[in-house]
Amino acid sequence: MHSVHSKKCSYTWSSLNPDRALRLAWTLADLYGHTSPDLTDMAQAISLRTRI
């Protein structure tokens, strides 16, 4: 259990993660039929990108 906790605590956003979250938000917006990502698409993308 300790190793899972350590890994979770040591996770940080790299400089590429915001770009990847934005690309994922565009993909989600496209799948949902939006013309561009909205706040919900961005929130979902960030949530998906930060899961361990």
Side-chain angles (χ1 to χ4, degrees):
M1 226 24 201
H2 186 272
S3 64
V4 171
H5 179 69
S6 303
K7 191 174 237 181
K8 194 174 199 177
C9 291
S10 67
Y11 179 81
T12 58
W13 276 65
S14 74
S15 61
L16 296 177
N17 280 337
D19 180 55
R20 291 177 180 167
L22 184 57
R23 286 190 292 156
L24 180 55
W26 273 101
T27 300
L28 292 170
D30 187 41
L31 291 171
Y32 294 135
H34 304 154
T35 56
S36 63
D38 60 14
L39 187 57
T40 305
D41 299 324
M42 281 301 302
Q44 185 176 8
I46 290 169
S47 174
L48 291 169
R49 290 292 308 154
T50 57
R51 290 187 184 172
I52 297 175

